[in-house]
Amino acid sequence: MTMSRDECQRFGVILCLAALWAGSPSRAQLLAADINLPREEQAKVDEALKKGLVWLKEKGAAEGTAEGSLIGYALIKGGVSVDDPIIQGQRAALIKKIEGGCYGSRSVPRHFVYEAGCDAMFLEAVDPQAHQAELTLIRDFLVRNQLSSGGWYY
């Protein structure tokens, strides 16, 4: 299933909003990339990022949850391979969430829009081409759940 240009743009807007709501680690990295730190300070930043990745891997999260997607997303953006067992476990759990070709067909989570955004960011970070079908289903879920005012519940 291929998305039209308008569908891609709408999905891009949804992903951007989800990234802002989620406090995207890549956003922080982009902001930091504009700052030229002295070598000693950059070493401290790099060390803090490494410690953060270790902490996230140790913390873990229930696979298939929004927290699991955010942790996986942060790990990928931090340089962890998509072949890492934590990433692959989350990926497999998200694929299982799609039942009968429909995202959100099981009981809708309490923070369903937030979770859908987190899942979309994660799958896009893993491989947007390989997960285009899943990303399209998440987009469709978000469009179905849009309020008449044009917004969404959390």
Side-chain angles (χ1 to χ4, degrees):
M1 179 179 228
T2 305
M3 290 190 271
S4 71
R5 182 178 181 165
D6 287 344
E7 290 171 322
C8 286
Q9 288 175 339
R10 188 175 336 152
F11 190 57
V13 168
I14 291 169
L15 282 179
C16 288
L17 289 173
L20 289 173
W21 290 330
S24 171
S26 62
R27 183 172 181 260
Q29 289 173 346
L30 288 173
L31 292 173
D34 292 337
I35 301 170
N36 291 320
L37 296 174
R39 186 171 296 177
E40 303 81 33
E41 292 299 313
Q42 186 61 53
K44 290 177 186 177
V45 170
D46 293 343
E47 184 60 28
L49 289 172
K50 286 179 191 173
K51 286 180 181 178
L53 292 173
V54 168
W55 183 84
L56 285 173
K57 285 185 101 170
E58 289 173 356
K59 180 185 182 333
E63 291 175 346
T65 65
E67 184 181 22
S69 287
L70 280 176
I71 288 174
Y73 180 78
L75 291 172
I76 292 167
K77 292 300 180 180
V80 173
S81 169
V82 296
D83 295 323
D84 185 276
I86 292 173
I87 306 298
Q88 287 302 309
Q90 178 66 12
R91 184 191 148 282
L94 291 184
I95 300 302
K96 287 181 185 176
K97 282 173 76 170
I98 297 170
E99 205 173 272
C102 183
Y103 180 87
S105 59
R106 296 182 187 189
S107 63
V108 177
R110 192 170 129 210
H111 301 294
F112 62 95
V113 170
Y114 176 82
E115 187 163 327
C118 293
D119 292 347
M121 290 186 329
F122 173 79
L123 290 173
E124 186 279 331
V126 171
D127 187 339
Q129 293 299 86
H131 294 294
Q132 184 175 12
E134 292 86 1
L135 290 167
T136 300
L137 292 172
I138 294 170
R139 180 212 53 207
D140 293 346
F141 172 82
L142 290 169
V143 169
R144 279 194 316 273
N145 286 282
Q146 187 172 19
L147 303 174
S148 60
S149 65
W152 288 269
Y153 283 117
Y154 184 67

